[in-house]
Amino acid sequence: MILDLWLDQPVWLMFTLLSGVFLALCLLLSLLSNLPWTRSGMRLLASGIVPPYIGVIAVLLSLLTGFVANDAWERQRQASRVVQAERSHALAVYDLSIASAPDMSGLRTSLFAYLDAVVKEEWPSMAADGASAPAVGQALGRLLQTAADPRTAAEAGEATYAALLEAVMQLRSARSERLALSAARSDESKWLTLLVLAILTLTSVALVHCERPFAQATTLALFSAAMVTTLSVIAMHERPFDGPLALSSEPIRLARVAMEAGTR
């Protein structure tokens, strides 16, 4: 719930909120290290801890950060490939309808209706709540029904009929995969673990520099800046169809424009 709320914010607010969290943690650790009634306890905890100890937790943090970043970037790349695949299959359906001997203007009309519904209805619906648009499902059903008409096989030939039906089914499969990626929710457990490890690393940095307040403040600030930047950039890629770097419907819209202009 908290992760979804954070990911729903604009980029500047994502950075600001996360910076506020790390700033509060840094201030708390600095106060615990320097206030008279807590300083002795912190120094007792820090006694005997050597600087290389920071690397133990930092390695775990870096490994998990790499895993989370790879997961987010891979989801973004996969979504981009799916959108391009949907565009390619739509163009294949259009090209086959033009190249075949019988008149397939009805099939092209169904294809145009499907693409228009994807751009105007389904994309906003995915960005809002990751849901599909009923109108797109209906348009796709009409397209499939038109492509599967037995008269197409009789007039265009079995080879063209099979290729056309295959292209429509591939278009349907690409849409299903796009909707699955859009509906997938972020795994809060990995982000919670990442935040816990970041807090533990921050604490270990504060303990190692407990007796040197200025060095402690500098190292806490540098580490916090690095984590805020890294986590915020990863979060920007967490949702491929919703967020600051959300994929647009432009490839599909341009394909629709090219079909209507007859430049395909």
Side-chain angles (χ1 to χ4, degrees), residues 4 62 87 98 115 131 150 174 179 215:
D4 289 335
S62 62
R87 172 186 178 276
I98 293 293
L115 296 177
L179 291 175

Side-chain angles (χ1 to χ4, degrees), residues 44-240:
L44 180 62
L45 290 174
S47 60
I49 297 180
V50 294
Y53 172 74
I54 302 175
V56 177
I57 306 176
V59 167
L60 295 177
L61 176 62
S62 62
L63 289 174
L64 184 59
T65 302
F67 166 75
V68 174
N70 180 72
D71 184 50
W73 259 275
E74 179 57 33
R75 191 183 299 108
Q76 189 88 5
R77 286 191 295 266
Q78 187 178 0
S80 180
R81 287 194 296 266
V82 166
V83 173
Q84 292 299 328
E86 189 172 6
R87 172 186 178 276
S88 298
H89 296 315
L91 290 172
V93 172
Y94 177 80
D95 290 343
L96 285 168
S97 72
I98 293 293
S100 61
D103 179 26
M104 290 193 178
S105 57
L107 184 139
R108 289 192 291 275
T109 300
S110 299
L111 177 61
F112 292 163
Y114 167 77
L115 296 177
D116 288 339
V118 167
V119 173
K120 297 177 182 178
E121 298 188 35
E122 191 156 75
W123 226 269
S125 179
M126 288 194 310
D129 53 13
S132 62
V136 178
Q138 295 169 5
L140 183 59
R142 287 192 295 270
L143 176 62
L144 182 58
Q145 185 178 11
T146 305
D149 190 340
R151 289 176 297 181
T152 304
E155 297 176 2
E158 289 294 337
T160 302
Y161 175 74
L164 183 62
L165 199 56
E166 175 66 18
V168 175
M169 292 304 296
Q170 290 290 343
L171 179 65
R172 179 178 180 272
S173 177
R175 176 186 179 246
S176 298
E177 191 172 353
R178 168 170 56 78
L179 291 175
L181 286 170
S182 175
R185 295 291 90 187
S186 302
D187 184 3
E188 293 198 9
S189 63
K190 66 183 181 184
W191 283 93
L192 179 60
T193 306
L194 197 58
L195 187 58
V196 169
L197 286 176
I199 293 173
L200 291 177
T201 306
L202 202 64
T203 304
S204 65
V205 170
L207 289 174
V208 167
H209 299 86
C210 190
E211 296 183 357
R212 296 177 294 277
F214 291 108
Q216 183 190 65
T218 302
T219 52
L220 289 178
L222 289 174
F223 176 78
S224 297
M227 288 306 302
V228 167
T229 303
T230 302
L231 296 181
S232 297
V233 170
I234 294 173
M236 290 165 60
H237 293 82
E238 183 70 15
R239 293 176 175 176

